[in-house]
Each structure stands twice: as C-alpha cells, then as structure tokens.
Amino acid sequence: MKKPLIKVQKTNLSHPKTNNSRRQFLKMGGLAVAGSSLLLYGCSDDDDDMEPMPGEVFDLGSGDVGILNYAYALEQLEAAFYTNVLDGSYWMNANAEEKKILEDLYKHEVIHREFFKAAITGAAGAAKTLPELEFDFSSVNFGDRDSVLQTAQILEDTGVSAYNGAGSLLVTPDYLTLAGKIVSVEARHASAIRSIYLSDDTAFAGDDVIDANGLDPAVDPATILAAVGSTGFVKTAFTANNLPTGA
Amino acid sequence: MNIIKFLDEFTSESLTGKVSSRRDVFGTFGSLGKKAALAAVPFGLATSSGKAFAQAGLKQHEEPLQLALTLEYLEAEFYIKALDSGVLPSGGRAEAVYNQISKHESAHVEFLKTALGDASIDSPTFDFTVGGMFDPFNENGTGQEVAYAQLLALAQAFEDTGVRAYKGQAGNLMGTPYLTPALQIHSVEAKHASEIRRLRASVMGEVGNENALGWITLDNRGPGMPEATQAVYDGEQNVTQGGVDLTMATSFDAKAVSQSFDEPISGETAKAIAGLFIVS
C-alpha cells in the first residue's frame, strides 16, 4: 500500500445539511482523479504504524491555527497550480480574456498564500506554520485548454466549498472575517472560470453546484483533504489529526 | 445611438443635472443622506403586520438575517421586474444570467423567511427608479438601451453590496447554526457579482482588460457605473490584512492585492444603500 500523502482524522460526516453538497463535491472531485492514485487514511489496518514520529511529518495543528494552516495548504496548492499555468503553452497562446483571468487568479492565489504564511507565522510562530509544500502536476497538461480550465474549475469550486465549511470551525471573529474576505474572491474566480470554460450561460452559478435553496456547498476539512489527496497533486506529506470538527 | 454613448450619457453629469432636485439624494447613495436616512428608518419596521420588533428582544441571529432578508427582497424583486420588463435582449446570455440569478435570489428569500420563522419580516415597498432618477425597466420612456445599461449597473451594485453585507454579518452569526448557511449564500452572491460584472463589461465592449474583471480593483466602481454607486466600493482599496501590508509582503501592487480580498460593510451602511430604494 502506498504511503498516505495526507492523513486526515476521522470525523462525523453525518451533518444532514451538507450531505447533498458533499456528494456534489465528490462528484466534481472525481473528475480530477482520473488516473491519479489512491490515498490516504483509514485504508489499512496498520494505521497506527503510520503515525508520524514527532518532527517528521507536519500536523496542521488544532483550533484556529489548524484551520488557518488548512487554508494555507489549499492556497499553496492553488498558487502552485496557476504558477504552472502561466509557464504553460496553453496560457501563452490563450485569448486575451482567458489570459487575463488566469493571470489575475495566479496573482490572487499567490497573495493569499503569502498572506497566510505571514499571518500564521505572526500568530503562532514559524514552528507551527505549515512548511512550503511540494506539488506534482504531472497529471495536468498545461498545453491543453480543457485540462487547465477543468482543473482550475475544480480547485476554485473546492476552495469555495472548503472555506464555507471551515467558517463555523473558527472561534476568532477576525479570522472569520478574513476567511470571508478571501472566499468571496474564490467564488468570483469560480464564476469566471466556469463562465469561460462551460458553454451553458448559467454555469457561472450552475445547478450542478448550487442547491434548490440557492446555497453553495459547505464541506468539512476531512472530506476536502481526502479529495485533494486523491488528486495526487500534493507531494509533501502532512497530517490533519487535530483540526476542530464542530462536533 | 450605440450603447457606449448611452453609457457615457448615463454616467455624465448631465444626467444627474437633469434632475438636479434629486442630485443630493443621488449623491448620497449609501451615505445616509436625507432620503437614505429617512428610508432607513422603516427598514425592518416596514413589516406593518404588527410585528414591530424591539431590537432588544431579538435573538442573536435575527437582526443579521432580517438585514439579509431585506437585501434579498430587494434583489429578488429587482430581477423579477427586470425579466418582466422586456429590456433584456431576448434569448441571449443576459436573459439566461438574470434568470439564474433571479432563481437564486427568490430561493434566498424563502430560505431566510423559513429560517427567521416568527421573526420574519414582510417585503418593503421598493422604488427602483429612486423617485425617477433611474428607469431600469423602461417604464418612463428612457429607452431600451439606457434602461439596459441601468439594469446592468444596478445589478452590479446590488450584487457587490450583497457580498459586502453578508461578509459584514458573519461575525454576528458566529456560534449560531445560521453562520454556515449565510456563508453559503455569501459565496453565491459573489458568483453573481463576478458574472454580472463580466456581462456588463462585455455589453460595453470591454473584454480581456482591466475593465472586464469579475473582481473589484481598489475602490473603482468601474466604467459606466453611476457616481452614486461609489458607496458600494468605498473601502475596497484596503491592502493591509491581519496587520500585514501585502504590497510589502509580496511583489504585487495595490491593484492585485486589493482584488484578492473583498471588504465587509457594516449593517448600517448596507441599510443605507438598500434604503435608497425603499419607499416604505
């Protein structure tokens, strides 16, 4: 069995309000899994044997710092992805609209990443700040429009679902506001990417994501991390054993 | 006359000058001018159904959700009237976008009414012309093209306001079961805002440039947006987050940094903006 990339704790996933959202998320997440490997957690009996030694594998931590590190991990992923996009031949030859959107997304995600790095380091110290992760985007063809935009859509949709699901886990009002400042920008991204990639004029806020109450998904960290792990994009192992669950 | 010319006229001083008696009102969109202040008073109390709630008696989630419901009433009625007006080009992207957004805003109204239960409020009476200042539904002979420009401008202002207003209420909902649903609406409003901004830009012939973005740059309301909507964008130019000046912490400029974070507005500011369109 391949060693887990991201190890997540077991959480109570039976929150009725988010069941539909979670299914939706996983369905989309499935698009990204094409050809990618396995994952993570609870999939073998020797779970205990895989507990990292202290100092060996970074754990996101507990409380608000844990949630901030979780967001930092997602922002690192997005920033690394768009950095690759701007180095790829699809972007270089894209039309002005797509080029502009992707360049802006690159800037925004790098800024989000650097914000979390500074904020977590300032609040909790470097030792409790998630290190720089390494990524493997070999499953994405950066010369191919569909491959790039489909991955971008999944990452942006995932970001919105993740922030919406993490908000209630924060206890410091300032952090909630900061997360709110970022999630709406992620939603603006998701809308724009969906608008240029999908042909349906309603896809910017499509029925495939938004439910009958007009609500976007809200997905818990364990589910998000499992799905992110399933993409195979994250090379650096880390654990999420102490995140708040709201349970 | 082409749409750009109309948009220019729409934003020009001549338009505001034409109705100079309302200039003060127009110029104080959201800044608690006389009319806005008056209009803000019946906010929430507009529900004449005998449910005049005392602020002190409200549960924690009720005031934020009542504000949200008022904004959703505003948006829901606006999109329904927009779709009924015949101003939107039939069968195109704009109509599809307005239909989709209308569906969501009407769903938000029902969702919030259910969430509030007995603390729900009735819809205020809206005047989307702001006493004749606008004619977004082409009811007063302004013509299809100007009306269309106004439909797009008002939609952008409403959506960008909605994003900021929900964000401003998140802290007030902490610890309640209503925080997550409010966040789930908040991000939908942001998706709407992004699309409306990009749609409006494309109608104006702006594509793939700084004027065609789904996100907000500095506190720019953008070309073609009436000066009166500036209150919707004031404060969006912030580049310091959590005490970190991100123009210093990164290699990016204030434009990119400001785009990366949307800023909240207070309930008072949101009420003042919405209040401009509330008659009673």
Side-chain angles (χ1 to χ4, degrees):
Chain A
M1 176 120 220
K2 194 164 164 184
K3 190 174 179 185
L5 297 175
I6 301 173
K7 193 164 188 300
V8 293
Q9 66 207 14
K10 189 164 281 182
T11 54
N12 178 7
L13 300 177
S14 62
H15 196 294
K17 276 186 183 165
T18 56
N19 269 352
N20 190 44
S21 303
R22 179 172 305 107
R23 275 199 303 276
Q24 189 59 58
F25 169 77
L26 290 172
K27 198 173 86 187
M28 294 189 295
L31 294 173
V33 182
S36 78
S37 45
L38 82 121
L39 44 159
L40 25 142
Y41 109 100
C43 48
S44 73
D45 292 329
D46 56 349
D47 236 14
D48 290 342
D49 297 337
M50 299 196 295
E51 287 296 329
M53 297 300 291
E56 186 183 300
V57 174
F58 186 87
D59 186 82
L60 295 180
S62 61
D64 283 357
V65 169
I67 295 296
L68 296 178
N69 271 321
Y70 163 60
Y72 181 32
L74 297 177
E75 298 293 351
Q76 286 197 40
L77 170 61
E78 289 187 303
F81 170 72
Y82 290 111
T83 300
N84 278 271
V85 169
L86 265 59
D87 284 337
S89 63
Y90 153 64
W91 183 79
M92 291 177 191
N93 299 304
N95 69 38
E97 181 181 28
E98 296 179 3
K99 210 164 179 169
K100 177 68 180 158
I101 287 172
L102 289 161
E103 184 180 6
D104 279 3
L105 268 51
Y106 156 74
K107 291 179 182 174
H108 300 168
E109 304 302 2
V110 170
I111 290 165
H112 290 164
R113 181 189 69 194
E114 295 307 306
F115 162 72
F116 279 110
K117 184 179 183 181
I120 302 168
T121 305
K128 290 190 174 178
T129 305
L130 179 69
E132 287 183 21
L133 303 174
E134 285 185 55
F135 297 96
D136 174 3
F137 291 110
S138 58
S139 62
V140 179
N141 179 354
F142 290 98
D144 180 68
R145 180 177 185 271
D146 283 349
S147 182
V148 169
L149 294 183
Q150 183 186 52
T151 307
Q153 182 200 324
I154 291 166
L155 290 180
E156 298 296 343
D157 282 346
T158 299
V160 173
S161 304
Y163 278 101
N164 281 348
S168 67
L169 302 176
L170 289 165
V171 298
T172 307
D174 284 350
Y175 292 152
L176 176 63
T177 299
L178 283 162
K181 290 181 181 199
I182 292 172
V183 66
S184 56
V185 174
E186 302 291 347
R188 290 174 189 269
H189 293 172
S191 174
I193 288 289
R194 292 174 143 270
S195 177
I196 59 173
Y197 178 50
L198 303 171
S199 55
D200 186 335
D201 282 335
T202 66
F204 70 95
D207 296 345
D208 58 323
V209 179
I210 296 171
D211 71 15
N213 288 317
L215 306 186
D216 254 332
V219 182
D220 60 277
T223 306
I224 293 287
L225 287 171
V228 168
S230 74
T231 65
F233 291 155
V234 185
K235 277 180 75 178
T236 310
F238 62 87
T239 60
N241 292 330
N242 298 291
L243 290 184
T245 63
Chain B
M1 195 180 291
N2 69 37
I3 189 83
I4 301 300
K5 188 130 183 267
F6 270 112
L7 286 163
D8 285 340
E9 283 197 355
F10 179 47
T11 57
S12 71
E13 290 303 307
S14 71
L15 185 139
T16 47
K18 201 163 61 182
V19 271
S20 57
S21 65
R22 305 207 59 91
R23 180 73 197 280
D24 287 347
V25 172
F26 201 58
T28 54
F29 187 91
S31 59
L32 283 173
K34 195 172 177 188
K35 158 129 179 159
L38 285 173
V41 173
F43 173 85
L45 297 173
T47 149
S48 51
S49 58
K51 268 183 259 163
F53 44 80
Q55 296 289 65
L58 290 177
K59 294 175 188 154
Q60 182 191 341
H61 67 276
E62 290 176 347
E63 192 175 356
L65 294 192
Q66 285 175 349
L67 169 62
L69 178 55
T70 299
L71 295 174
E72 298 291 355
Y73 275 135
L74 173 79
E75 291 183 309
E77 186 171 320
F78 171 76
Y79 286 104
I80 288 169
K81 288 186 166 168
L83 287 161
D84 285 346
S85 69
V87 170
L88 294 167
S90 180
R93 174 183 171 196
E95 191 176 65
V97 167
Y98 274 63
N99 259 314
Q100 186 74 355
I101 296 178
S102 178
K103 184 172 74 176
H104 295 156
E105 308 301 12
S106 293
H108 294 165
V109 166
E110 293 309 312
F111 182 84
L112 290 168
K113 282 166 76 172
T114 302
L116 278 163
D118 287 345
S120 187
I121 53 175
D122 293 337
S123 178
T125 301
F126 296 108
D127 173 16
F128 294 101
T129 75
V130 190
M133 179 62 54
F134 299 108
D135 189 17
F137 311 128
N138 195 24
E139 296 163 322
N140 302 313
T142 197
Q144 293 285 105
E145 288 180 271
V146 171
Y148 186 27
Q150 294 183 356
L151 269 190
L152 292 164
L154 288 176
Q156 178 179 321
F158 291 154
E159 297 298 342
D160 281 333
T161 297
V163 174
R164 300 191 71 178
Y166 273 96
K167 201 186 316 295
Q169 294 308 308
N172 295 330
L173 291 168
M174 278 188 102
T176 78
Y178 303 100
L179 171 61
T180 297
L183 293 174
Q184 291 174 278
I185 294 177
H186 168 245
S187 59
V188 171
E189 301 293 340
K191 288 178 175 175
H192 295 169
S194 179
E195 178 68 7
I196 287 288
R197 295 173 66 87
R198 295 178 57 258
L199 171 65
R200 201 179 72 83
S202 77
V203 170
M204 294 174 63
E206 304 273 1
V207 175
N209 63 38
E210 296 291 338
N211 295 326
L213 305 178
W215 23 96
I216 300 165
T217 304
L218 302 173
D219 61 353
N220 299 343
R221 62 184 183 271
M225 288 296 284
E227 187 181 353
T229 62
Q230 187 55 41
V232 175
Y233 300 96
D234 288 344
E236 283 283 4
Q237 72 275 25
N238 182 29
V239 295
T240 299
Q241 302 295 346
V244 181
D245 180 342
L246 291 166
T247 62
M248 304 298 287
T250 71
S251 60
F252 297 108
D253 61 14
K255 283 185 178 179
V257 169
S258 67
Q259 289 169 354
S260 304
F261 292 80
D262 283 335
E263 298 297 319
I265 51 174
S266 70
E268 287 310 305
T269 300
K271 285 179 193 177
I273 291 172
L276 196 59
F277 299 91
I278 294 175
V279 177
S280 65

